[in-house]
Amino acid sequence: MSIQRATQADTVETYVQSHLAPEDPGMFNARNNSLKHGIPPIALSANQGKFLNLLASCSGARNVLELGTLGGYSSIWLARAISSTGGKVTSIEINPDRREVAIENLRNAGIKVPEEVDVVLGAGLDVLPKLDEEIQRGERQRFDFVFIDADWPNQWKYFDYGVKLATGKGSVVFVDNVVLAMLDYGHVGPEERDESVVPLVEEVAKDERVEAVVMQTLGAKQYDGFLMAVVK
């Protein structure tokens, strides 16, 4: 297939979304209300949200961990994926203002907070050890689906914690924006390599706890890609 057809990515994205991933009023409000409060428009596209929703559903997820709530758009997709199982999403957000907007958006979409989605305030690397301690004390269940969409330099640290906190065999760890991070930090491509940033793909390749793959994507969010790992 000619590379020139990639110029039609936005057209294809719009067509597919209109048929397979239309946004309901709750999702539409989450986007608009986030923009109204100055939250940058970097949430998943509707098609990406639907993909995440289906992935969580087909993996049988009940207990979901999300790193990077932003305005709660992806949290809505995840919460709806596990609503029939009585599951729960625990989402971590470092910014208190964004957390408040996310809670507002979730409730507007009919999601119960904190019963269905608990938005925890704090930096990921501060909150994750606390979640681990709660799990060790038997106060919290392990996670069978982990969605990582937070600051890129810490992708490997988040991934490592995601596997540690996972239920076990068959649990899924999904990391967004992996291709952009690889390019920006020079792990591949022409940019000078930033040695201060741990290369996620290289570390995951050595990690005997998981099997993983990176998929490149093209669409409304332009060129990027994600890493998906399954715990052995």
Side-chain angles (χ1 to χ4, degrees), residues 85-185:
T85 67
K88 181 174 182 176
V89 177
T90 299
S91 187
I92 302 172
E93 174 55 48
I94 191 173
N95 185 300
D97 294 332
R98 292 181 183 178
R99 177 180 181 270
E100 291 304 312
V101 174
I103 290 173
E104 180 182 337
N105 291 341
L106 286 161
R107 287 177 172 157
N108 184 274
I111 308 297
K112 295 178 181 178
V113 181
E115 294 86 355
E116 294 177 316
V117 177
D118 184 14
V119 185
V120 181
L121 179 63
L125 295 178
D126 292 334
V127 175
L128 289 169
K130 297 176 182 177
L131 297 183
D132 191 15
E133 291 173 2
E134 292 175 7
I135 289 172
Q136 298 305 322
R137 293 196 300 264
E139 300 171 357
R140 176 183 291 274
Q141 293 182 338
R142 290 184 174 273
F143 301 98
D144 39 33
F145 193 95
V146 179
F147 174 50
I148 300 170
D149 192 14
D151 51 306
W152 297 353
N154 287 314
Q155 281 182 337
W156 163 245
K157 293 178 181 178
Y158 295 146
F159 180 90
D160 185 41
Y161 257 111
V163 178
K164 287 178 182 177
L165 303 183
T167 305
K169 185 176 181 180
S171 299
V172 175
V173 181
F174 186 104
V175 189
D176 200 16
N177 304 127
V178 169
V179 170
L180 283 182
M182 284 192 293
L183 292 168
D184 279 1
Y185 295 112

Side-chain angles (χ1 to χ4, degrees), residues 9 13 45 48 51 174 176-180 214-227:
E13 181 93 0
S45 70
Q48 290 172 322
F51 175 73
F174 186 104
D176 200 16
N177 304 127
V178 169
V179 170
L180 283 182
V214 168
M215 297 298 296
Q216 300 179 76
T217 59
L218 183 66
K221 304 295 287 187
Q222 300 183 350
Y223 175 56
D224 200 352
F226 61 84
L227 180 145

Side-chain angles (χ1 to χ4, degrees), residues 1-14 218-220 222-223:
M1 181 181 292
S2 172
I3 191 66
Q4 280 75 22
R5 292 204 174 187
T7 60
Q8 299 300 313
D10 285 351
T11 302
V12 172
E13 181 93 0
T14 300
L218 183 66
Q222 300 183 350
Y223 175 56

